Amino acid sequence: MALFKKFVGALVIATAFIASPVWAQQTIISAGSVILDADSEPTGPVTLIVRDGVIERIVPLGEMIAAAEGDIVIDLSDKTILPGLIDLHTHLSGDPSGEFWRGATTPPEYFTLIGAKNARVTALAGFTTVRDLGSRTDQVTQMLRRATAEGLVQGPRIITSARTISIIGGHGDTNGFVEHVNDALDSGFTCTGPVECASKVRLASQYGADLIKITATGGVLSQQGRGLEAHFSDAEMSAIVDTAESLGLKVAAHAHGARGIEAAARAGVHTIEHGTYIDDAAARAMNEAGTTLVPTLMAFEGIRQNLGTGFYTPVVEEKIRAVSEVAGTIVERARANGVRVAFGTDAGVFPHGQNAGEFRLMVRGGMTNREALASATTVAAEIVGMEDSIGRIAPGFSADIIAVDGNPLDDVTVLEQVDWVMVRGRVIE
C-alpha cells in the first residue's frame, strides 16, 4: 500500500507538470548568492522574479517583494544559483553498450523511451540546454525536442542534428552485419561524392535538423577498423559545409585524426568534436577558420573503464587503447595552440547524468575553474547562437537556472552535485 501511494503521488506530480502552466505564473526565487555569468563574482543574497519562462527582474537584498496570490515562492537562501549548463555533445537516445547488434533488434519506439528517460536525467544534472549529435532513429530527437519545449517531457532545451552524415562503410554508417541486414538498417544518410553529400544535408534540413553532424574521420566505437583519419574528401566536406550554410545551418564534425581535423577546419566546419590527435597544423587550420574544439573528455574516460571486460568487440578495444594514450592531453595541446575550447561530453558513450565530470577533466587539462564554467555557459551559448538568451542570469534571458552548494569558481567540481534545476521557467522535479 505504501508503494502504491508513492506511485500515485509521483503520478500526480508528473501530471501536474504536464497539465499545469506553472511557467506562465510569477515565480519568486530567494537565493543565498548568484553568479550572473562566468565573468562575475558571487553577489550575495538576491531575489529573482521569473515570469512566462523568462527572468524578469533581479532584486538586491533589502528590496521587499510582495508575493501575490498564485505566485510560486522558492527558498534557495542556502544555495548559490547560476546559469543552467550547456552540453554541446550528447546522444540522448542511447545508453552505453558494446552490443552493436542491438541496432538490429530494438525498435525505434524503445529508443524514444530511452531518450525521454535521459532527457530528465540530463536536466537534473544541471544541463538545461544540449546539442544532440546523432540519434538512433530518424525522428526521436526532433520529437523529444518538441516534447521538452511543450512540457510533455521533463528535460533540457534540445538542439539536434538528428541523424549523422557519413561515408558509406565508415564511422556512422551501419557496419558489422551481413549485407541484407546492413541494407535494412541503412538510415539514408550516407553519401559518396559532393553532389550526393550536399543532397544529404538538404535531407537533414527537411527532417528538421538544427545543425549538421558529419563523421569527418574514422571513429572509435564503430565496427569498422580502418583507422581514425579522414573519411570524406575535401570536395565532399566543402559541399556539405557550403550547402549547410546556404540553409542557415552550422556543421559539427566528429574528428580524431590530425589530418582529418585539418581538412574539416579548412572546409569551414563550426566545431570539431573530440580532436584526439590535434597537432600544430590542425590547430592552425582551426584558428584560421574560427573553429572551436569540443573535446568530450568524459567519453574517453568512460570507454577506458570498460577495457578488458568483454564490453567491446576486439576491433573496438584496439582503437580504445590507441586513443587512451593521448586523450588526456587534448585540451592542453589545443590551448597551447590558441584553440578555443567549449564544453561537450558525448554522454551516451558513458552514462547520462554524469556530464559534469567533464569540468574536472578540463581543469586537469589546464583550464581554470572560471574558464571551465564559461565553456559550458557563455562560450557554449555563443556556439549555438543563443548568447542573447541563455548562458547568463539576466533580465530577458530564459529562466534556465541551477542551484548548488558552494562556489564553482573556487571548485568547479561542486557542479557534479546540482540540488535544484529550472528549465525555461519550469522546475525539474
Side-chain angles (χ1 to χ4, degrees), residues 10-189:
L11 184 61
V12 168
I13 291 172
T15 304
F17 175 85
I18 293 170
S20 172
V22 294
W23 57 273
Q25 297 172 304
Q26 176 171 274
T27 301
I28 301 170
I29 305 170
S30 298
S33 191
V34 60
I35 298 174
L36 299 173
D37 56 48
D39 290 330
S40 304
E41 295 296 331
T43 63
V46 297
T47 300
L48 262 61
I49 308 299
V50 172
R51 190 188 299 275
D52 295 340
V54 174
I55 298 168
E56 186 176 84
R57 281 195 296 153
I58 302 173
V59 180
L61 179 67
E63 184 176 331
M64 298 298 295
I65 301 296
E69 184 177 354
D71 285 351
I72 298 170
V73 180
I74 297 172
D75 182 10
L76 298 172
S77 56
D78 59 343
K79 305 291 181 184
T80 299
I81 65 171
L82 64 152
L85 305 171
I86 305 166
D87 190 333
L88 294 173
H89 193 132
T90 67
H91 300 280
L92 292 173
S93 59
D95 282 329
S97 175
E99 299 171 335
F100 71 94
W101 49 266
R102 286 193 180 276
T105 63
T106 306
E109 292 83 359
Y110 188 73
F111 291 124
T112 302
L113 296 173
I114 292 292
K117 180 264 293 184
N118 288 333
R120 179 174 177 275
V121 167
T122 299
L124 286 172
F127 290 84
T128 56
T129 298
V130 302
R131 281 196 316 180
D132 190 279
L133 299 184
S135 61
R136 293 296 185 96
T137 57
D138 284 339
Q139 287 290 321
V140 60
T141 49
Q142 294 95 310
M143 295 303 98
L144 195 58
R145 175 183 61 192
R146 176 179 173 181
T148 54
E150 293 178 355
L152 289 172
V153 171
Q154 291 189 319
R157 176 184 294 98
I158 297 170
I159 299 160
T160 182
S161 67
R163 301 310 294 264
T164 297
I165 298 174
S166 64
I167 66 167
I168 297 170
H171 184 67
D173 190 15
T174 303
N175 289 269
F177 300 99
V178 296
E179 183 177 357
H180 69 277
V181 177
N182 278 339
D183 291 343
L185 294 175
D186 182 10
S187 67
F189 283 90

Side-chain angles (χ1 to χ4, degrees), residues 169-418:
H171 184 67
D173 190 15
T174 303
N175 289 269
F177 300 99
V178 296
E179 183 177 357
H180 69 277
V181 177
N182 278 339
D183 291 343
L185 294 175
D186 182 10
S187 67
F189 283 90
T190 56
C191 58
T192 297
V195 173
E196 190 176 20
C197 289
S199 74
K200 299 306 180 183
V201 174
R202 295 189 175 105
L203 182 63
S205 177
Q206 182 184 37
Y207 272 55
D210 299 308
L211 74 157
I212 301 300
K213 160 78 178 302
I214 66 170
T215 50
T217 74
V220 175
L221 296 183
S222 60
Q223 298 308 306
Q224 62 86 25
R226 297 175 181 85
L228 298 176
E229 268 302 346
H231 273 184
F232 288 97
S233 69
D234 288 351
E236 288 168 339
M237 281 201 281
S238 293
I240 288 169
V241 174
D242 291 347
T243 306
E245 288 181 349
S246 75
L247 293 166
L249 302 175
K250 294 175 180 177
V251 179
H254 155 108
H256 288 290
R259 303 291 66 79
I261 297 169
E262 185 178 359
R266 284 201 311 267
V269 303
H270 191 222
T271 59
I272 292 290
E273 313 296 313
H274 315 307
T276 312
Y277 293 97
I278 187 171
D279 61 11
D280 293 352
R284 186 161 52 249
M286 290 180 67
N287 287 331
E288 289 172 357
T291 304
T292 300
L293 174 66
V294 180
T296 67
L297 303 175
M298 277 294 288
F300 297 105
E301 184 97 336
I303 60 177
R304 187 166 45 235
Q305 291 175 2
N306 290 316
L307 274 174
T309 65
F311 193 80
Y312 300 115
T313 61
V315 67
V316 171
E317 280 240 349
E318 183 178 348
K319 290 185 286 183
I320 292 174
R321 294 185 190 281
V323 298
S324 293
E325 295 178 3
V326 296
T329 61
I330 294 172
V331 169
E332 182 181 348
R333 281 179 278 130
R335 283 166 52 83
N337 283 281
V339 172
R340 184 168 72 158
V341 175
F343 188 101
T345 65
D346 213 356
V349 170
F350 65 94
H352 293 273
Q354 298 179 12
N355 312 52
E358 187 84 10
F359 289 114
R360 169 174 40 86
L361 300 176
M362 295 177 93
V363 170
R364 188 181 299 171
M367 298 180 75
T368 65
N369 292 321
R370 191 180 296 276
E371 288 170 335
L373 179 60
S375 77
T377 51
T378 49
V379 174
E382 184 182 341
I383 293 295
V384 298
M386 298 184 69
E387 62 271 28
D388 293 333
S389 57
I390 63 174
R392 302 176 188 274
I393 291 181
F397 274 57
S398 179
D400 297 351
I401 306 166
I402 66 173
V404 297
D405 288 325
N407 180 1
L409 297 174
D410 292 335
D411 178 9
V412 78
T413 65
V414 302
L415 296 174
E416 295 180 28
Q417 181 58 57
V418 172

